[in-house]
Amino acid sequence: MLPTRGYAVHSPTDNLAPFDFERRELSPTDVLITIDFCGVCHSDIHQVRGEWGNSIYPMVPGHEIVGRVTAVGAEVTKFKIGDHAGVGVAVDSCRECNNCRADYEQHCEKGSVGTYNSTEMDRVTPTYGGYSSQIVVQEHFALRITETENLAAVAPLLCAGITTYSPLKRFGIKAGQKVGVVGLGGLGHLGVKFAVSMGAQVTVFSTSPAKKDDATRLGAQHFVVSKNADEMTPLASTFDFILDTVSAPHDINVYLNLLRLNGAMVQVGIPEKPMEVAAFSLVVNNRSLAGSGAGGIAETQEMLDYCAEKGIVSDIEIIPMSRIAEAYDRTVKGDVRYRFVIDMSTL
Ligand code: NAP
Ligand code: ZN
Ligand code: ZN
């Protein structure tokens, strides 16, 4: 077994603290990744604090993992020692069901294996995530990362990046379309970058007036303070597509009402409580409301390659592990520009 240092919580009210555990020895198809950086996703906070009601403790969070391959199993072909590699939200799945064969491993019909707060396919062995020194993963679930000097800013692409790229692609966003992004946080700011890169006219809906200049710098044409009815009313029935990344309960009807004929809104934010949908919000203009969960391995690789080609990375604040509690508090307040990334050399 491979002795590994991580940070864990043991209950919903616990603070993250050092935790020593063991990773498995490499199977012939495993790679060992020494972790350089791990992004702080709001999903880490929901799960650490037990907000989704599915938490398994002890929990080592983290599913925006980047680092270098430091060992490979005998049958590994995708990586060699020294390559950059990344891991996102899933580390295994059955690989045989319809969804796995269609490259939606994250929606495996038998249940995919989450990078943390989950169990391996044996349904017994807990998985521990990226707030740790190293990870052993099936090569299929490790992503190739183009050699870069800015590895830390690539980390958030592994979850926030694919979660926003995937629905924009699935709904065929193209040049000239009017796209709204609700919430300018980790997911939201990458959603803006992707929609802009696809040629859309992007409007950011935010509760934080101070983020206006950033929205413009990210390429958005318009910035709307969502609490301000005077700004919202004239926008009724004008949007082709809206991506909702908000982490807390809010009125989604306000945004549905902004969709034009056959417009669609995709929910990627996962507030802890259900939200009400008025039937009229959907019936008028034949609107659709959909959800989207991360992305499969092939699409995540496509997104990483797209980002390397277009020069898209996350805006980040690098922190040492010791500042994780402060990073959680600031993220919950919407005060992150725009993703905290932990420097694992400080573990
Ligand atoms: P984040 O960085 O905290 O961003 C969320 C943003 O939502 C905040 O920056 C803030 O933007 C806005 N917001 C926060 N509280 C609000 C409130 N009470 N009312 C209105 N707006 C509020 O979080 P994230 O990492 O981007 O994650 C966002 C959500 O997506 C989380 O629920 C997370 O669990 C979920 N998620 C889902 C998937 C998936 O596969 N579907 C993947 C990753 C994450 P403004 O300051 O601009 O208002
Ligand atoms: Zn995430
Ligand atoms: Zn499957």
Side-chain angles (χ1 to χ4, degrees):
M1 302 295 268
L2 309 175
T4 301
R5 162 57 64 97
Y7 259 57
V9 287
H10 294 79
S11 83
T13 52
D14 215 5
N15 283 321
L16 284 154
F19 175 70
D20 291 313
F21 63 101
E22 290 182 325
R23 299 285 190 192
R24 66 172 179 266
E25 294 286 346
L26 273 64
S27 78
T29 51
D30 277 333
V31 296
L32 173 66
I33 300 171
T34 298
I35 302 175
D36 290 316
F37 299 99
C38 184
V40 177
C41 179
H42 205 120
S43 301
D44 301 347
I45 304 174
H46 290 306
Q47 291 175 95
V48 159
R49 297 184 175 173
E51 291 172 356
W52 289 341
N54 66 346
S55 294
I56 305 169
Y57 300 103
M59 184 191 302
V60 177
H63 58 205
E64 293 184 339
I65 299 168
V66 292
R68 273 197 197 276
V69 174
T70 42
V72 292
E75 292 166 19
V76 166
T77 55
K78 207 163 127 183
F79 297 94
K80 58 182 191 320
I81 290 173
D83 286 348
H84 279 332
V87 179
V89 301
V91 288
D92 210 351
S93 71
C94 86
R95 324 268 192 98
E96 295 167 351
C97 72
N98 290 329
N99 294 0
C100 282
R101 284 212 295 254
D103 292 329
Y104 289 96
E105 297 91 338
Q106 81 277 28
H107 298 309
C108 173
E109 290 172 8
K110 295 183 185 149
S112 68
V113 177
T115 303
Y116 70 89
N117 196 30
S118 182
T119 48
E120 298 283 1
M121 290 307 286
D122 65 10
R123 308 301 182 197
V124 179
T125 312
T127 58
Y128 295 126
Y131 297 10
S132 61
S133 55
Q134 58 186 3
I135 188 165
V136 176
V137 60
Q138 286 282 313
E139 68 165 333
H140 178 76
F141 286 83
L143 286 305
R144 287 187 307 273
I145 293 173
T146 307
E147 198 65 28
T148 170
E149 311 237 305
N150 202 5
L151 190 61
V154 171
L157 300 177
L158 275 304
C159 175
I162 184 59
T163 301
T164 50
Y165 176 88
S166 182
L168 291 167
K169 287 286 285 194
R170 181 153 60 95
F171 283 80
I173 297 310
K174 49 185 186 295
Q177 284 190 317
K178 273 193 78 175
V179 168
V181 174
V182 188
L184 198 61
L187 267 58
H189 93 290
L190 285 169
V192 172
K193 290 190 188 201
F194 285 129
V196 168
S197 78
M198 293 167 189
Q201 289 181 34
V202 178
T203 298
V204 170
F205 295 94
S206 176
T207 58
S208 310
K211 293 180 181 173
K212 181 172 185 181
D213 290 347
D214 287 338
T216 307
R217 178 178 53 76
L218 295 167
Q221 269 96 347
H222 303 287
F223 180 86
V224 174
V225 179
S226 47
K227 287 173 188 155
N228 188 343
D230 291 352
E231 291 186 61
M232 296 291 280
T233 312
L235 300 176
S237 302
T238 59
F239 281 83
D240 295 293
F241 182 83
I242 296 177
L243 188 65
D244 185 341
T245 76
V246 173
S247 51
H250 58 290
D251 184 1
I252 61 174
N253 300 287
V254 167
Y255 299 103
L256 289 168
N257 290 335
L258 303 185
L259 294 171
R260 62 163 54 128
L261 185 68
N262 294 328
M265 175 155 127
V266 170
Q267 190 63 44
V268 287
I270 313 176
E272 58 191 277
K273 294 204 178 74
M275 295 180 291
E276 277 189 7
V277 180
F280 271 119
S281 304
L282 295 173
V283 168
V284 172
N285 278 348
N286 292 355
R287 295 164 177 140
S288 302
L289 174 62
S292 195
I297 296 302
E299 194 176 38
T300 305
Q301 191 63 58
E302 173 191 309
M303 178 272 315
L304 287 167
D305 297 344
Y306 178 87
C307 288
E309 187 196 316
K310 301 254 181 193
I312 295 174
V313 288
S314 177
D315 292 13
I316 58 168
E317 294 186 45
I318 297 184
I319 54 162
M321 195 73 236
S322 58
R323 283 180 53 207
I324 189 68
E326 175 196 335
Y328 274 25
D329 290 344
R330 280 187 49 201
T331 301
V332 170
K333 284 187 205 140
D335 176 24
V336 47
R337 299 217 174 10
Y338 277 89
R339 192 59 130 194
F340 288 110
V341 172
I342 308 161
D343 177 352
M344 278 313 154
S345 70
T346 65
L347 200 63

